[in-house]
Amino acid sequence: MKERSQFSSKFGMLAAAVGSAVGLGNIWKFPYVAGQNGGGAFLLVYLLCVLIMGFPALITELSIGRMAQTGPISAFKKLTGNNRWTFIGVLGIITSFLVLSFYFVVAGWSLEYIYQSISTMSFKGMTTADLNNAFDQFSTNTMRPYIWLVTFIVMSGLVIYMGVQKGIEKGSKVMMPMLFAIMVYLAVHALLTNSSPEGYEFYLLADFSKITPTVVLQALGQSFFSLSIGIGVLLTYGSYVKEGNIVITGLQISILDTLIAFMAGLVIFPTVFSFGIEANAGPELAFVAMPAVFSQMTGGMVFAILFFLLLALAALTSTISLYEVMVAMLNDTFGLKRGLANLIVGVVVAILGIICCNSINGHSIFTLCGMTCFDWCDTITSNYFLPIGGLSMMLFFGWGCSRKKVHDAMIEFGMKEWFYKIYIVFVRFVIPILIVLIMLNQFGVLKI
Ligand code: PHE
C-alpha cells in the first residue's frame, strides 16, 4: 500500500483549493458570461447560486474525499461497498479532459498578452478597434496560439513531473493576495477615472426582466466551474486532509473565489462602456478590455505585465489541479507509471486543445448547432457536466451513504448540529430539485 500524501497543514489544503478555484474562470469567464447574460441580472442569480448551491456542494465534495481518504474513482466504492456510484468519478475524468482542452487555449492567451504588454509598450495609443484587431490577428494566427497552448501544457506537465505542486501552491499564498490587491487597485482606478456610469448600472443593477432560463443555467454552471465543483478535484484535495473545520474552509474558498470574480467585473464593465467595447463580445472580452485599461494608465506596463503574469499563474494552479487528478487516476486505477500517465494526459489534452484552438474565429473544422468545438467544450462542461457531477455527489451523500455515517462525519469535521440540519435538507432535497428544475426549464420541458 502506497503512503498517501497529506497536506502539511490545513493552510496547505486551503491554498491548493483556492489555487484550483481562482483562475481564468474568475477573470476571463465570469465577465464574459455576465456580459452575455444581462450583467446585473446575471450577477444576482450568480451570487444566489454560490450561496444556495455552490457552497453546500463544495462542502459535500470536500467531505466525501475526507471521509474516503482516496481519489474520485475509488472513493464512492470505498464508502458504500458497491460500484453503483463509480460513474461519478468516470464523468469527472471525462469532464477534466474537456475542461483542460479549452482552458489551456485561454491560458496560452495569457502568456501571449504578457508578451504583448511588453512589445506594444502596454498597448499605448491603441484604440478599441486596434485592440479588437490585435486579438483577432493573434487568435487566427496559424502558429502563435498553438505555441502558447503547448507551452502551457508542457509547463503544467513539468510541474507535475517534478512534483513541485506543493511549492507552486505555497507560492500562490503570495500570488493570490497580489492578484487580489491588483484587482482592487484596478477597480478603484476604474472608479476614479471613469466618467460613464453605464458600466456600473449594467453590472450592478439587476433588470429582472432579463432573468431567463438560460441566464439561470449559465449562472449555475459558472458558479460550479468557478468553485471547481463536480469534477473530483476538491474530493481529491479533501482526501489529503484530516483536520480543520469543513464549514470554515468551504466559506473561505467560496468568499475568496467570488470576491475575485466580482472585482473582475468591477474593472471590466466600466471599461467596456467607456471604450465602446461590446459587453457581449464573448470569450475575447477580458483580452480586449484589460489592455484598454492598461493603455491609458500611468505605469501601465508594469501593471499589464504583472496582471497577465498573475493571471497565467492563477491559471497554472487550476490546470495542475485537474492535471494531477488525471495522472493520479491513471496511476491508481490502471497502474500506469506516473511519468507515462503524465505523458498520456499531456498528449491527449494537446490534441483536444489544438482542435479547440483551431475552432476560434471562424477556423472551425466543424460546428455543431452553430457552436464551435471551443464553445462546446466551454459550455457543455460548465452548464451540464459540472452541475450533473455535483448533483450526483449530493445524491450520493444524501441518499447513497448511511445517514449516521454522514452525520457523524460532518460533526467530526466541525459542523454544528443546527447547521447540519439545514445542510442535509439542502443536500437531499433543495439542491437536487433546483438543479433538475433549472435543466428541465432550459430544455423547455417545464416552464417557470
Ligand atoms: N475553477 C477554475 C477556474 O475558475 C477552473 C476549474 C474548474 C478548475 C473545475 C478545476 C476544476 O478557473
Side-chain angles (χ1 to χ4, degrees):
M1 183 81 186
K2 264 186 296 115
E3 168 111 9
R4 280 186 61 74
S5 57
Q6 292 281 331
F7 282 111
S8 52
S9 69
K10 54 186 185 225
F11 294 112
M13 127 81 184
L14 186 65
V18 172
S20 170
V22 175
L24 297 169
N26 307 61
I27 290 166
W28 159 73
K29 195 161 185 265
F30 174 80
Y32 107 64
V33 179
Q36 285 179 329
N37 288 281
F42 179 86
L43 178 65
L44 178 72
V45 183
Y46 178 79
L47 293 175
L48 287 173
C49 284
V50 170
L51 185 73
I52 301 174
M53 295 184 271
F55 168 58
L58 193 135
I59 299 185
T60 306
E61 187 172 336
L62 283 174
S63 304
I64 297 174
R66 186 149 151 194
M67 279 167 82
Q69 292 288 312
T70 159
I73 296 278
S74 25
F76 302 99
K77 181 163 186 202
K78 191 164 168 200
L79 293 177
T80 52
N82 62 54
N83 262 326
R84 235 173 281 155
W85 299 89
T86 309
F87 77 91
I88 305 176
V90 178
L91 177 69
I93 298 300
I94 298 171
T95 314
S96 302
F97 272 111
L98 296 178
V99 168
L100 276 184
S101 56
F102 77 88
Y103 203 94
F104 271 128
V105 174
V106 185
W109 298 351
S110 63
L111 297 180
E112 160 78 14
Y113 273 76
I114 302 177
Y115 164 74
Q116 283 202 19
S117 304
I118 304 168
S119 68
T120 62
M121 306 293 280
S122 84
F123 316 95
K124 270 274 156 336
M126 289 172 82
T127 61
T128 306
D130 296 336
L131 292 170
N132 274 318
N133 247 336
F135 182 84
D136 288 345
Q137 270 182 7
F138 158 65
S139 60
T140 49
N141 189 294
T142 45
M143 287 293 283
R144 278 182 11 228
Y146 300 95
I147 293 176
W148 291 127
L149 161 76
V150 174
T151 308
F152 216 100
I153 299 176
V154 172
M155 269 162 50
S156 307
L158 275 179
V159 170
I160 305 283
Y161 178 73
M162 297 192 300
V164 290
Q165 295 90 299
K166 302 265 162 64
I168 301 276
E169 273 138 18
K170 270 206 195 106
S172 76
K173 277 188 224 169
V174 182
M175 280 149 11
M176 289 296 162
M178 269 171 80
L179 182 64
F180 190 76
I182 213 175
M183 296 308 289
V184 174
Y185 181 83
L186 294 177
V188 173
H189 178 267
L191 184 66
L192 296 180
T193 54
N194 237 286
S195 46
S196 59
E198 288 106 313
Y200 294 102
E201 269 166 32
F202 175 79
Y203 182 46
L204 300 175
L205 293 183
D207 173 355
F208 289 96
S209 69
K210 288 203 181 135
I211 303 181
T212 61
T214 312
V215 170
V216 180
L217 181 74
Q218 296 267 14
L220 165 73
Q222 174 61 21
S223 64
F224 277 42
F225 181 83
S226 192
L227 293 169
S228 304
I229 297 168
I231 234 172
V233 167
L234 293 171
L235 190 153
T236 309
Y237 284 174
S239 76
Y240 295 151
V241 274
K242 291 202 165 120
E243 50 171 307
N245 184 315
I246 202 97
V247 180
I248 295 180
T249 310
L251 264 180
Q252 284 166 324
I253 302 171
S254 311
I255 292 175
L256 277 171
D257 187 71
T258 307
L259 267 180
I260 297 205
F262 179 66
M263 302 290 257
L266 279 183
V267 179
I268 286 182
F269 289 112
T271 311
V272 159
F273 279 82
S274 57
F275 281 80
I277 299 167
E278 295 288 333
N280 61 359
E284 65 191 70
L285 183 66
F287 289 90
V288 176
M290 293 311 299
V293 174
F294 302 125
S295 72
Q296 301 213 330
M297 220 173 144
T298 0
M301 186 144 149
V302 176
F303 280 101
I305 297 171
L306 200 61
F307 171 80
F308 286 114
L309 188 68
L310 290 171
L311 183 62
L313 289 166
L316 184 66
T317 50
S318 301
T319 57
I320 57 177
S321 73
L322 286 160
Y323 205 119
E324 169 60 31
V325 168
M326 291 196 282
V327 170
M329 186 276 304
L330 289 177
N331 175 245
D332 286 348
T333 318
F334 299 107
L336 292 185
K337 290 234 166 58
R338 276 185 65 92
L340 182 62
N342 190 334
L343 196 67
I344 293 177
V345 172
V347 170
V348 174
V349 165
I351 295 171
L352 290 171
I354 287 171
I355 300 175
C356 278
C357 194
N358 186 261
S359 78
I360 298 277
N361 281 348
H363 273 192
S364 200
I365 312 174
F366 72 90
T367 53
L368 198 61
C369 306
M371 290 203 320
T372 63
C373 179
F374 181 97
D375 296 335
W376 270 103
C377 290
D378 180 359
T379 355
I380 212 167
T381 50
S382 301
N383 293 0
Y384 298 103
F385 286 19
L386 297 180
I388 290 173
L391 168 71
S392 311
M393 288 187 201
M394 260 157 315
L395 293 177
F396 165 80
F397 209 53
W399 300 93
C401 280
S402 126
R403 282 240 222 147
K404 182 165 167 17
K405 221 171 164 178
V406 169
H407 170 266
D408 294 352
M410 295 316 276
I411 300 298
E412 187 196 323
F413 299 163
M415 194 179 271
K416 295 269 184 298
E417 195 65 54
W418 66 267
F419 192 86
Y420 176 78
K421 289 208 176 89
I422 305 171
Y423 162 80
I424 200 69
V425 174
F426 270 71
V427 168
R428 300 186 78 199
F429 302 102
V430 180
I431 306 177
I433 292 173
L434 279 176
I435 294 182
V436 171
L437 285 183
I438 291 171
M439 292 205 172
L440 291 181
N441 201 17
Q442 167 72 10
F443 288 127
V445 179
L446 190 102
K447 278 272 156 275
I448 301 178

